[in-house]
Structure formats: C-alpha cells, structure tokens
Amino acid sequence: MTDWHKIIAQKKIHLTPFLRQAQGIILSEISNNTSKDILYIANSDVEMENIAAEMQFFAPEKKVLKFPSWGVHLYENANILPENLAQRLNTLLELKNNKNQCITICSLSGILSKIPPLVNSFKKNIKISVNDNIPPLKLVEKLLELGFERVSSVMEAGELALRGGVLDIFPPEELNPVRLDFFGDEIE
C-alpha cells in the first residue's frame, strides 16, 4: 500500500492549502480512491464554483454538491439570494437521501451560516400530484405550519398566495414558484 493510499484510508483527511491549480485534480484523485463522502471547504463562493467546475472536468461521473453562503454579509440589510437558498436546501436534501458517495464543496461562510427552520422539518414534507384531493385551505394551513408566509402575490422563496382555486407556492428548494389549479378539492 502506497503512502497516498494510507492517507486516504484514514477516517478524516485534512488538507492544508495547496496550489490553487492542483485543487480539483487532487480532490478528484482522493474521490477515486475512497468510497467515503468528501467535504471540501473553499475560501469563498467563487472558489467553490471554480472547484466544482474542475471536479466536473476531472471526475464527471462523481456526484458533486455545492453548498454556498447566503449571498449576503452579516448585518447587511438585504434579502438572501433565492438561488443560494435553493442550492443549499437541494444539497441538504441530496445528502439526506443519497446512498452513494457525495463530494460536497462549500464556502467557509456557507458552512458557518445557520440552516433555516424548514430544513429541520424534512420529515414534514408535503408531496402532492395532479388529481390528488386536498382542500386548498387545508394545504395552505399545512404550508403555514412549515414556515411559509401568506402574501397577496408570490415573489420570494417561502411564500404562498391563494386566490380562489389558484394556489401559488414558492418552495425554497426551487428557483421559480409553482402554481396549483384546483377544481374543488382536486388538483388539476
């Protein structure tokens, strides 16, 4: 067994900063020599994106997940970027449900930031399909319990609006809102 394989066989591998140009290839080599999940913490969201792109080049068959920061600085009076929220939630869902090796690349600020309450209630997910029968008001009630906010017009993740038989929902893990049309209690 070579020294490289002995290092990879350890439970945790801590890599100190190495040449920027070598990060992607070293990470892909590590992933090819272990079946364990890998967490790589990049200095910034830009570096996270670059390394994820390199991983797609060096190891396109590997499952690479990105966990970005919120996209706003602490104490900044700005809304969280919806695409970052969606990416964070999708990554957490994938990590929860995936049985194969995952390579998660996150930024330092991304891993240090809090996880929203919706993530803590994955077990309360609501799955609905066309032709399901559920009263719209009951669905709204369940969504409000999950932390959605009722508004007159959906603009941001985590919002919902009910107007007659039309329910607009903006799930945090999606980039765009979803519209449900009801005919009575049936989803069309």
Side-chain angles (χ1 to χ4, degrees), residues 78-115:
N79 290 334
I80 294 167
L81 296 175
E83 58 272 14
N84 286 21
L85 176 62
Q87 181 71 63
R88 288 170 63 90
L89 290 174
N90 283 330
T91 295
L92 291 171
L93 282 168
E94 187 69 36
L95 287 170
K96 178 183 180 288
N97 297 323
N98 194 24
K99 302 293 183 217
N100 300 319
Q101 181 191 44
C102 285
I103 302 163
T104 306
I105 304 172
C106 66
S107 64
L108 182 59
S109 59
I111 200 163
L112 292 176
S113 55
K114 291 185 178 184
I115 297 171

Side-chain angles (χ1 to χ4, degrees), residues 3-182:
D3 289 338
W4 182 250
H5 289 100
K6 288 178 187 173
I7 291 170
I8 292 174
Q10 296 175 10
K11 288 189 182 240
K12 293 182 183 176
I13 302 172
H14 175 74
L15 297 174
T16 55
F18 43 90
L19 288 175
R20 167 65 197 103
Q21 296 81 3
Q23 290 172 344
I25 196 161
I26 291 173
L27 194 55
S28 67
E29 187 63 28
I30 291 170
S31 72
N32 289 331
N33 288 288
T34 184
S35 60
K36 298 174 185 172
D37 288 341
I38 297 172
L39 172 65
Y40 183 88
I41 303 172
N43 289 322
S44 66
D45 283 348
V46 171
E47 184 179 317
M48 175 197 68
E49 292 289 344
N50 290 338
I51 293 171
E54 289 174 17
M55 286 300 297
Q56 291 301 317
F57 177 78
F58 290 116
E61 72 286 355
K62 298 291 183 175
K63 182 76 164 180
V64 177
L65 305 172
K66 296 183 287 187
F67 194 74
S69 69
W70 289 120
V72 295
H73 297 290
L74 189 62
Y75 304 116
E76 194 175 76
N77 190 16
N79 290 334
I80 294 167
L81 296 175
E83 58 272 14
N84 286 21
L85 176 62
Q87 181 71 63
R88 288 170 63 90
L89 290 174
N90 283 330
T91 295
L92 291 171
L93 282 168
E94 187 69 36
L95 287 170
K96 178 183 180 288
N97 297 323
N98 194 24
K99 302 293 183 217
N100 300 319
Q101 181 191 44
C102 285
I103 302 163
T104 306
I105 304 172
C106 66
S107 64
L108 182 59
S109 59
I111 200 163
L112 292 176
S113 55
K114 291 185 178 184
I115 297 171
L118 282 173
V119 174
N120 296 327
S121 59
F122 281 140
K123 59 184 174 275
K124 297 179 185 175
N125 280 348
I126 299 171
K127 293 189 181 194
I128 51 177
S129 303
V130 174
N131 299 326
D132 281 356
N133 281 304
I134 182 169
L137 290 175
K138 186 172 183 174
L139 180 57
V140 167
E141 193 176 295
K142 287 183 179 183
L143 292 168
L144 291 172
E145 287 174 11
L146 287 175
F148 279 81
E149 179 184 357
R150 192 170 189 166
V151 295
S152 59
S153 181
V154 171
M155 301 296 284
E156 296 183 17
E159 295 180 341
L160 67 87
L162 179 64
R163 292 177 308 284
V166 175
L167 176 62
D168 292 328
I169 307 169
F170 201 146
E173 69 274 9
E174 298 294 330
L175 293 176
N176 296 303
V178 176
R179 174 166 284 177
L180 302 177
D181 286 316
F182 286 87

